[in-house]
Amino acid sequence: MAMITIDEQRCKGCGLCTIACAQKLLVLSDKINNQGYTPARINATDRCTGCALCAEICPDVAIAVFR
Amino acid sequence: MQQVFKRPTSLKDVQTHFCSGCHHGTIHRLVAEAIDKYGVQERTIGVASVGCSVFLYGYFDIDVVEAPHGRASAVATGVKRAKPENFVFTYQGDGDLAAIGTAEIIHAANRGEDITVFFVNNTTYGMTGGQMAPTTLVGQKTSTSPYGRNKAKDGAPVRMAELLAQLEGVAFSARVAVNSPKNLIDAKKQIQKAFQYQVEGKGFSFIEVLSACPTNWGMNPLAANERVGTEMIDYFKLGVFKNL
């Protein structure tokens, strides 16, 4: 059982988490945040293993990981 | 469930000014994690350079001195000699350290000052407008090399980690990257090792971190990240060049 939370206002939509996730669960959303970027969101949360690689690679420390 | 990944306490909970996909944020976090790991937050003094790294004081919850362009390692020398009980590090870009501050870094390293230097190499002057730096790769187009860096005219890019490793005073010199999970985990390890050198009073430690600059490279964040893993690592080999 694991989950992540993404701070959508902090995210700059660089997409680095989308390539770090081995399960390919992360995608960029269509909506625009306060900064004008399209933040990342997670699909199929139940498949998240909590490996934290998305959080490790995030330049904006916008991801928190729970396990 | 427990939180297994959170923001380091020595990294302020604020939005950075860095562009989307810039690796500065990641490197800031790794340095902050090392500060937390060694429990030196209360006695750490950072020395910021001129460039995108200039806002160190806004992002780290530590004391920071802002040095004139290129002079961070000279300022850090003064700070460390005046307050040897403090943990002192500089955080400099390649325009700052490898061009304007070449004399300062070489002599601080050669004297073996007991400081830690973080050198963020993104092959360009970031904040000043994407001009050619000594680390710009051959053929790379910048605002001052619109036809690409010409090796015959401009020379080959400077490899600072290898260059400094040759100096007697240097105890630790390594080059790392944060473009992939694998490289990032290794970068974290080496950054913590560089901290350990100073905590144990072993002398000058130097870490070069390869970084993307999507804005000045004219690339999107993912393409810029990819360039680090291909073109940059091809020339700037990762590894530990000195480890006393």
Side-chain angles (χ1 to χ4, degrees):
Chain A
M1 184 70 184
M3 64 170 270
I4 64 163
T5 59
I6 301 170
D7 185 339
E8 289 188 359
Q9 299 307 329
R10 204 43 82 68
C11 173
K12 289 181 184 150
C14 67
L16 293 186
C17 56
T18 65
I19 57 166
C21 179
Q23 307 283 335
K24 304 283 174 229
L25 302 180
L26 289 151
V27 289
L28 294 183
S29 65
D30 299 327
K31 60 181 179 186
I32 294 172
N33 68 10
N34 288 349
Q35 300 185 79
Y37 295 113
T38 52
R41 65 178 171 81
I42 182 163
N43 277 336
T45 43
D46 54 317
R47 283 172 52 209
C48 176
T49 60
C51 70
L53 291 181
C54 55
E56 290 278 355
I57 210 159
C58 176
D60 295 288
V61 202
I63 303 177
V65 184
F66 302 84
R67 208 164 41 211
Chain B
M1 277 194 287
Q2 277 187 332
Q3 188 164 358
V4 291
F5 185 96
K6 58 182 173 194
R7 175 178 286 271
T9 53
S10 50
L11 193 66
K12 290 180 187 167
D13 190 10
V14 292
Q15 181 73 54
T16 66
H17 76 289
F18 302 125
C19 305
S20 172
C22 169
H23 287 166
H24 264 306
T26 315
I27 303 164
H28 271 43
R29 200 201 83 233
L30 293 179
V31 172
E33 278 185 2
I35 293 174
D36 287 1
K37 180 181 171 173
Y38 287 98
V40 291
Q41 186 183 0
E42 290 304 314
R43 59 184 181 95
T44 296
I45 302 175
V47 183
S49 65
V50 170
C52 291
S53 53
V54 75
F55 296 119
L56 221 58
Y57 52 81
Y59 304 142
F60 282 89
D61 193 9
I62 56 170
D63 290 325
V64 174
V65 185
E66 171 49 44
H69 210 341
R71 276 59 180 168
S73 44
V75 171
T77 298
V79 173
K80 186 70 182 183
R81 288 190 179 192
K83 298 183 80 66
E85 70 281 8
N86 284 62
F87 185 90
V88 181
F89 75 88
T90 77
Y91 186 105
Q92 306 173 252
D94 50 325
D96 186 271
L97 182 142
I100 295 163
T102 322
E104 282 75 10
I105 188 63
I106 287 183
H107 292 292
N110 194 47
R111 291 191 304 267
E113 299 295 342
D114 197 12
I115 58 173
T116 303
V117 173
F118 295 101
F119 168 47
V120 180
N121 177 0
N122 59 11
T123 74
T124 187
Y125 279 79
M127 187 177 265
T128 40
Q131 292 88 350
M132 181 170 69
T135 45
T136 297
L137 294 175
V138 172
Q140 184 182 335
K141 290 178 181 168
T142 69
S143 58
T144 50
S145 59
Y147 304 108
R149 182 179 182 137
N150 179 338
K151 192 177 173 186
K153 194 162 65 95
D154 308 315
V158 179
R159 294 184 177 105
M160 288 306 293
E162 288 91 328
L163 192 150
L164 293 178
Q166 298 168 27
L167 300 174
E168 282 280 313
V170 176
F172 181 74
S173 176
R175 182 183 293 115
V176 297
V178 293
N179 63 313
S180 67
K182 178 178 170 287
N183 287 344
L184 196 141
I185 302 300
D186 187 52
K188 182 189 279 201
K189 212 166 68 185
Q190 302 302 346
I191 285 173
Q192 292 182 353
K193 202 163 173 188
F195 261 70
Q196 199 181 340
Y197 267 73
Q198 189 179 155
V199 168
E200 293 174 1
K202 283 182 170 173
F204 187 91
S205 47
F206 181 85
I207 286 265
E208 175 172 341
V209 190
L210 302 182
S211 167
C213 184
T215 302
N216 285 303
W217 294 355
M219 291 176 167
N220 69 43
L222 289 179
N225 190 65
E226 173 118 19
R227 178 182 184 250
V228 173
T230 53
E231 285 176 49
M232 277 184 82
I233 291 180
D234 188 45
Y235 186 84
F236 295 110
K237 302 279 186 231
L238 304 184
V240 178
F241 304 104
K242 197 165 187 184
N243 187 2
L244 291 184

